[in-house]
């Protein structure tokens, strides 16, 4: 049974949602493995713009019958239900019936959101804006911290009849009061949150949203990567302890093609990103298999399986942290001409964060970064997005390597030592290529691209050593070249 995994290759905002939307046309299951509503995927279909955060983007396609939020995710229930309601208002069908949450996912609290903001403010007050991580303040980091500290609340705990979830949340609150003080948390109301959570719990029960996902994934795709035969009905038998439905094999047989939707991107991975300016989960290939236990790595041996890296035709970043190719007048050694190019990338590309609305930092395509991403995530194919944003540029630059500005020595690979890639210490070796100065927006055939655009794509493809199968040429679902 084929499995397709779509992962962000840079710092996020590459345009993963659009490819997921296209691939979901042939997928019966779409899964999120990690992260929370700090993710932001925009899809334009039939003239309507949809924004996805915690929900899998497969909900946009009625044929995608199950959209699973996996065990590696953290779920802020007010946002979960609000997002479902917004999709329903835009005309998407059966969204409540087509989404499930793993009973091992963590509950992200309003308390976590409050603490997230407090933590960022402490960093800012001590060392200024540059010291801030630049989080979305959605509570993701504190929630994962409590998960790792074994203080959190899983969905399974939350659904249990023993009521221990409330005690754990109150204990969390007392701990944060001890850390930050009552004044810092004065705007947070523990009683109001507990009351809301009880209402959400009732909705989860009534809607049958929570399930034991591991048997579903294991039965859908066996250890040898082949679908197993089915003989019973999904969801009929309750779990022995928490009343969480078990996944049975008949329903599993319905899932003939599984799509995994990555959130955030590799350079924001807690282990492999630009730490500490990262998110709090494993956003790369490794996080897929920990967040979706039961999914065998052997499935990737299927001839139709693939690991797809989504690469924007230039580079953007939201929030703090190093950004070697950033084009901004505040960056040392950036010329006025290049700074203007950065402004144009931001303007033409409409580079604003889907989740936060913050203006994205922009720069030229960084192949050092992309090659590193390829090494970590083992991509079999790439999706090259937003090519049309480059249409008006007479020249386009590509970062080929890094040098230490102080002694001229080459910096090998993409270093974990962030001091080496701080802009004032770094010299970028660029290759300059001619632009095409021709509109490509809406182009759907490779042959219709200008020769210079083809050469730009082929150069990137040759340098990274991974075939570019999809090329995005606009915001609409149809604006995609498939090679």
């Amino acid at each position: 049974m084929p499995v397709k995994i779509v992962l962000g290759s840079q710092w996020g905002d590459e345009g993963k949602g659009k490819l997921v939307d296209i691939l979901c046309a042939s997928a019966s299951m779409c899964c999120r493995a990690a992260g929370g509503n700090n993710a932001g995927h925009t899809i334009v279909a039939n003239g309507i713009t949809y924004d996805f955060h915690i929900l899998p983007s497969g909900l946009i396609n009625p044929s995608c019958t199950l959209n699973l939020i996996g065990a590696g995710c953290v779920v802020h229930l007010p946002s979960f239900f609000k997002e479902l309601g917004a999709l329903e208002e835009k005309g998407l069908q059966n969204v409540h019936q087509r989404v499930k949450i793993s009973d091992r996912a963590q509950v992200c609290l309003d308390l976590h959101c409050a603490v997230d903001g407090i933590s960022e403010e402490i960093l800012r007050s001590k060392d200024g804006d540059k010291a801030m991580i630049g989080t979305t303040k959605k509570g993701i980091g504190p929630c994962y911290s409590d998960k790792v500290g074994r203080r959190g609340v899983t969905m399974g705990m939350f659904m249990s009849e023993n009521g221990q979830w409330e005690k754990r949340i109150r204990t969390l609150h007392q701990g944060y009061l001890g850390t930050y003080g009552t004044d810092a948390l004065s705007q947070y109301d523990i009683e109001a949150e507990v009351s809301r959570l009880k209402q959400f719990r009732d909705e989860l029960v009534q809607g049958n949203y929570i399930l034991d996902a591991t048997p579903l994934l294991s039965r859908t795709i066996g250890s040898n990567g082949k679908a197993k035969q089915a003989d019973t009905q999904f969801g009929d038998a309750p779990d022995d302890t928490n009343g969480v439905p078990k996944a049975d094999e008949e329903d599993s047989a319905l899932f003939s093609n599984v799509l995994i939707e990555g959130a955030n991107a590799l350079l924001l991975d807690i282990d492999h990103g630009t730490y500490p300016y990262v998110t709090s989960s494993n956003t790369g290939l490794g996080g897929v298999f920990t967040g979706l236990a039961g999914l065998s790595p052997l499935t990737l041996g299927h001839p139709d399986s693939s690991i797809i890296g989504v690469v924007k035709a230039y580079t953007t970043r939201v929030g703090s942290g190093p950004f070697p190719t950033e084009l901004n007048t505040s960056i040392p050694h950036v010329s006025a001409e290049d700074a203007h190019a950065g402004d144009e990338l931001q303007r033409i590309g409409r580079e604003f964060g889907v989740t936060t609305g913050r203006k994205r930092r922009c720069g030229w395509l960084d192949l050092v970064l992309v090659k590193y991403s390829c090494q970590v995530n083992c991509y079999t194919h790439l999706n090259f997005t937003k090519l049309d944003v480059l249409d008006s540029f007479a020249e386009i630059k590509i970062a080929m390597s890094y040098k230490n500005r102080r002694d001229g020595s080459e910096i090998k690979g993409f270093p974990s030592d962030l001091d080496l890639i701080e802009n004032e210490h770094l010299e970028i070796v660029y290759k300059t290529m001619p632009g095409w100065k021709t509109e490509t927006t809406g182009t759907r055939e490779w042959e219709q691209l200008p020769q210079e655009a083809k050469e730009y794509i082929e150069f990137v493809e040759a340098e990274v050593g991974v075939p570019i199968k999809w090329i995005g040429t606009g915001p609409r679902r149809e604006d995609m070249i498939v090679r």
Side-chain angles (χ1 to χ4, degrees):
M1 178 174 297
V3 173
K4 292 182 172 61
I5 302 173
V6 179
L7 301 170
S9 301
Q10 294 151 301
W11 276 294
D13 307 309
E14 299 94 350
K16 299 179 289 296
K18 179 178 171 180
L19 181 63
V20 168
D21 172 45
I22 292 170
L23 296 177
C24 269
S26 59
S28 50
M29 183 194 300
C30 180
C31 306
R32 278 279 307 274
N37 63 317
N38 59 331
H41 296 168
T42 300
I43 296 173
V44 181
N46 302 318
I48 302 174
T49 300
Y50 302 91
D51 291 333
F52 288 85
H53 299 282
I54 182 59
L55 298 178
S57 299
L59 283 169
I60 204 168
N61 287 284
S63 61
C64 191
T65 55
L66 178 63
N67 290 266
L68 174 64
I69 298 172
C73 295
V74 297
V75 185
H76 183 248
L77 290 170
S79 299
F80 171 79
F81 283 110
K82 181 180 179 181
E83 193 174 337
L84 278 174
L87 294 181
E88 200 168 41
E89 288 177 4
K90 290 188 175 183
L92 294 186
Q93 300 297 308
N94 302 318
V95 289
H96 292 271
Q97 292 76 27
R98 292 190 291 124
V99 65
K100 300 290 182 183
I101 305 173
S102 167
D103 60 347
R104 297 181 187 275
Q106 294 276 320
V107 179
C108 184
L109 306 167
D110 288 343
L111 175 60
H112 290 130
C113 299
V115 168
D116 203 352
I118 293 168
S119 300
E120 283 285 79
E121 182 57 30
I122 288 172
L123 290 173
R124 189 198 65 78
S125 62
K126 286 184 177 179
D127 298 306
D129 290 347
K130 195 172 182 179
M132 298 171 70
I133 300 300
T135 77
T136 59
K137 299 181 183 175
K138 300 291 185 181
I140 308 302
C143 186
Y144 275 113
S145 179
D146 283 332
K147 172 184 176 177
V148 174
R150 300 175 294 278
R151 300 179 296 268
V153 176
T154 67
M155 285 292 172
M157 290 179 184
F158 187 54
M159 301 305 290
S160 174
E161 297 291 345
N162 65 25
Q164 287 298 305
W165 65 269
E166 183 177 343
K167 180 179 178 181
R168 292 180 71 87
I169 289 172
R170 292 186 182 278
T171 300
L172 277 177
H173 180 231
Q174 289 301 313
Y176 282 125
L177 285 174
T179 301
Y180 298 113
T182 55
D183 288 346
L185 282 163
S186 61
Q187 300 301 309
Y188 171 75
D189 187 338
I190 180 66
E191 300 304 331
E193 172 140 56
V194 169
S195 177
R196 284 192 297 270
L197 285 172
K198 288 178 180 178
Q199 295 176 18
F200 288 130
R201 186 183 182 280
D202 290 342
E203 289 189 57
L204 291 172
V205 171
Q206 292 168 11
N208 195 28
Y209 290 98
I210 311 300
L211 64 82
D212 182 355
T214 300
L216 174 64
L217 291 165
S218 180
R219 289 167 179 163
T220 297
I221 307 168
S223 61
N224 61 357
K226 298 179 180 179
K228 295 187 177 182
Q229 295 300 313
D231 56 16
T232 56
Q233 179 61 41
F234 169 69
D236 283 350
D239 181 84
D240 292 338
T241 56
N242 295 337
V244 174
K246 288 285 188 182
D248 293 307
E249 293 183 1
E250 183 176 331
D251 197 76
S252 300
L254 298 175
F255 305 123
S256 58
N257 197 325
V258 178
L259 179 63
I260 314 298
E261 177 182 16
N264 311 118
L266 191 277
L267 271 295
L268 294 172
D269 186 278
I270 188 67
D271 290 321
H272 302 291
T274 48
Y275 186 88
Y277 301 98
V278 293
T279 192
S280 300
S281 61
N282 288 112
T283 60
L285 182 62
V288 169
F289 295 103
T290 55
L292 297 169
L295 180 70
S296 171
L298 297 178
T299 60
L300 296 177
H302 189 286
D304 292 327
S305 291
S306 53
I307 307 168
I308 304 162
V310 184
V311 179
K312 192 179 287 187
Y314 48 101
T315 311
T316 62
R317 178 166 198 171
V318 171
S320 305
F323 183 172
T325 64
E326 183 174 7
L327 303 174
N328 189 291
T329 53
S330 66
I331 306 300
H333 317 296
V334 172
S335 68
E337 181 181 2
D338 277 341
H340 175 70
D343 291 339
E344 287 296 283
L345 289 171
Q346 198 282 325
R347 181 185 65 82
I348 299 168
R350 298 181 178 87
E351 295 294 352
F352 294 92
V354 176
T355 300
T356 63
R358 290 180 294 185
K359 185 182 289 189
R360 294 174 187 147
R361 302 154 63 191
C362 297
W364 297 118
L365 180 64
D366 187 340
L367 286 192
V368 179
L369 183 156
V370 175
K371 288 178 181 179
Y372 169 71
S373 183
C374 291
Q375 290 172 345
V376 176
N377 279 341
C378 308
Y379 305 124
T380 59
H381 301 87
L382 296 180
N383 171 203
F384 204 57
T385 66
K386 302 190 81 166
L387 179 73
D388 57 308
V389 174
L390 301 177
D391 286 351
S392 62
F393 290 87
E395 291 184 337
I396 299 166
K397 294 183 180 180
I398 303 173
M400 302 299 297
S401 62
Y402 302 158
K403 286 185 178 181
N404 189 315
R405 187 171 292 276
R406 289 170 289 195
D407 61 13
S409 60
E410 183 178 355
I411 298 171
K412 302 293 185 181
F414 191 83
S416 62
D417 182 355
L418 300 191
D419 186 57
L420 292 175
I421 52 175
E422 286 291 345
N423 299 91
E424 61 265 28
H425 302 156
L426 190 67
E427 180 181 345
I428 308 288
V429 178
Y430 282 111
K431 176 179 177 62
T432 301
M433 299 189 71
W436 39 95
K437 300 287 286 183
T438 303
E439 184 175 351
T440 64
T441 303
T443 302
R444 300 176 191 176
E445 299 293 335
W446 171 254
E447 292 75 16
Q448 295 174 354
L449 285 177
Q451 183 60 31
E452 293 86 354
K454 291 180 183 178
E455 290 173 359
Y456 182 64
I457 293 164
E458 289 170 340
F459 179 82
V460 172
E461 185 176 57
E463 283 293 315
V464 300
V466 181
I468 295 175
K469 183 173 181 178
W470 297 272
I471 302 159
T473 58
R476 298 174 301 172
R477 176 188 284 172
E478 300 82 8
D479 299 336
M480 184 77 84
I481 296 170
V482 182
R483 296 171 74 195

